[in-house]
Amino acid sequence: MVLGSCAPAVRKPKSQIDVKPRQSLSAKVQSFSETRPFTSTVTLDTFFYAGTPRGLYRFDLNSGDPVAFADQSGVVAAEILGLAADPSSGLHVVTPAGLFQFHRKVWKKVDGFAAPPASVTQMMESTNGLWIGTSGGLYRLFQGKWSHHLAGAKISAILDDTAGSGMWIGTDAEGIFQYDGKRFRRHGK
């Protein structure tokens, strides 16, 4: 088969869609009024977080119910540009006002993030720290210190390497990079 040769999908009207429920699965469907796409989603502990242009939503994974934040900082109601989560450091959120951390039920601003928040394209927490991909490179917060890598590259994807201690980074025009925990190695261009 040649890529791009598939016939377009034909959608049936809703009244004609055949739905065959699986008896072994059950799920509580929760709806909310956000009509714009999610900017980021992550899970942390027993919660699912959804970042949107209108704010941050949190759902309990056990019940499916939305869970309200106690937030005096305004982070929850802000436009969410990126999310990353790790059990040891909590939830990291990028808004137009900067980078914030939600840990042990407390919001705090994280200082030192030098990139414009609107340039954020990807985020990931790993054993190697918090990684933030932007349209101008890759930023890392590790043990309280910031570093900047792949300057000028537009980061399009970040994937933790579960087989090792590194990660893979996709860029728009510079190829794919592998980080082995010490250095970056380019694969293709």
Side-chain angles (χ1 to χ4, degrees):
M1 176 163 76
V2 176
L3 288 176
S5 67
C6 298
V10 177
R11 293 185 180 230
K12 293 181 179 181
K14 285 186 180 181
S15 61
Q16 295 179 8
I17 294 176
D18 300 321
V19 178
K20 296 178 183 172
R22 298 179 81 179
Q23 292 185 351
S24 62
L25 299 175
S26 65
K28 182 176 180 177
V29 177
Q30 179 67 42
S31 175
F32 61 102
S33 62
E34 179 58 57
T35 58
R36 292 195 254 175
F38 293 154
T39 54
S40 298
T41 58
V42 295
T43 57
L44 179 64
D45 300 325
T46 61
F47 298 104
F48 169 78
Y49 295 87
T52 75
R54 293 188 190 140
L56 182 63
Y57 296 88
R58 178 170 66 168
F59 297 90
D60 184 305
L61 289 173
N62 295 319
S63 69
D65 293 330
V67 179
F69 282 100
D71 176 30
Q72 304 302 322
S73 68
V75 174
V76 174
E79 177 183 12
I80 305 302
L81 301 170
L83 295 173
D86 180 72
S88 64
S89 61
L91 182 70
H92 282 94
V93 180
V94 175
T95 75
L99 176 63
F100 296 85
Q101 180 184 31
F102 182 66
H103 189 53
R104 295 187 178 115
K105 300 181 181 181
V106 175
W107 284 104
K108 74 173 188 175
K109 186 164 174 56
V110 178
D111 294 324
F113 180 53
S119 71
V120 171
T121 58
Q122 298 287 319
M123 290 179 68
M124 183 187 78
E125 291 262 9
S126 77
T127 56
N128 290 308
L130 171 65
W131 295 88
I132 302 177
T134 71
S135 57
L138 185 64
Y139 291 82
R140 176 186 184 200
L141 177 61
F142 185 63
Q143 297 178 342
K145 296 183 181 180
W146 284 100
S147 56
H148 186 207
H149 309 275
L150 308 176
K154 182 175 182 185
I155 307 301
S156 57
I158 306 172
L159 178 66
D160 200 10
D161 183 352
T162 56
S165 63
M167 61 184 197
W168 293 86
I169 303 101
T171 67
D172 279 4
E174 303 296 321
I176 296 173
F177 291 83
Q178 181 182 17
Y179 178 71
D180 65 7
K182 295 179 183 166
R183 66 180 183 273
F184 292 87
R185 188 174 69 182
R186 183 191 310 234
H187 296 274
K189 182 172 177 178

